[in-house]
Amino acid sequence: MPVHDRVKHHAANHPDLTAVDIEGNTLSWQQLWQRAQVLYQQLMSSTSENRTVAIAIGNDITFPVAWLAATAQPFTAAIIDPQVPVEQRDDMLHRLAPDLLLLKAED
């Protein structure tokens, strides 16, 4: 069963159980699935034919939501370590030419 189907299954059958816990910040299965669906719809309305989404969020509670949305069909996700030097990050983004770059709110 693909990961997206598993998350959907857990959201339906165990909605209140913890799905993600990052440094004390948690999301239940239902919260993870619902937030990913909202972001997926936003991505669908915001991208062109390329459909490449770069994610440079790091170890944050928003990463699993972004990853789940950006790896669903028809998207391709590129995960970028936000700790890489700026020159290296800029080079990666230039070569990837993503439709969107997802960052933490503070970034």
Side-chain angles (χ1 to χ4, degrees):
M1 181 183 293
V3 68
H4 298 88
D5 293 340
R6 284 200 178 274
V7 172
K8 183 179 180 180
H9 173 80
H10 284 298
N13 293 298
H14 310 287
D16 298 323
L17 291 181
T18 299
V20 180
D21 184 336
I22 298 177
E23 299 177 351
N25 295 306
T26 62
L27 290 175
S28 69
W29 286 105
Q30 185 175 36
Q31 289 171 319
L32 174 60
W33 182 249
Q34 288 175 340
R35 290 178 189 190
Q37 290 301 298
V38 168
L39 180 56
Y40 177 81
Q41 292 304 319
Q42 291 172 336
L43 294 175
M44 287 296 289
S45 66
S46 301
T47 60
S48 65
E49 294 176 15
N50 182 13
R51 304 263 169 122
T52 300
V53 179
I55 304 170
I57 294 175
N59 192 28
D60 186 80
I61 196 68
T62 57
F63 178 82
V65 173
W67 181 87
L68 197 60
T71 57
Q73 290 290 336
F75 297 108
T76 301
I79 311 303
I80 298 173
D81 182 352
Q83 303 293 325
V84 299
V86 173
E87 278 185 14
Q88 186 178 357
R89 185 197 63 217
D90 290 349
D91 181 57
M92 284 189 272
L93 291 172
H94 175 74
R95 288 185 285 132
L96 286 169
D99 288 311
L100 293 170
L101 172 61
L102 301 179
L103 304 166
K104 284 195 306 190
E106 305 87 57
D107 297 339

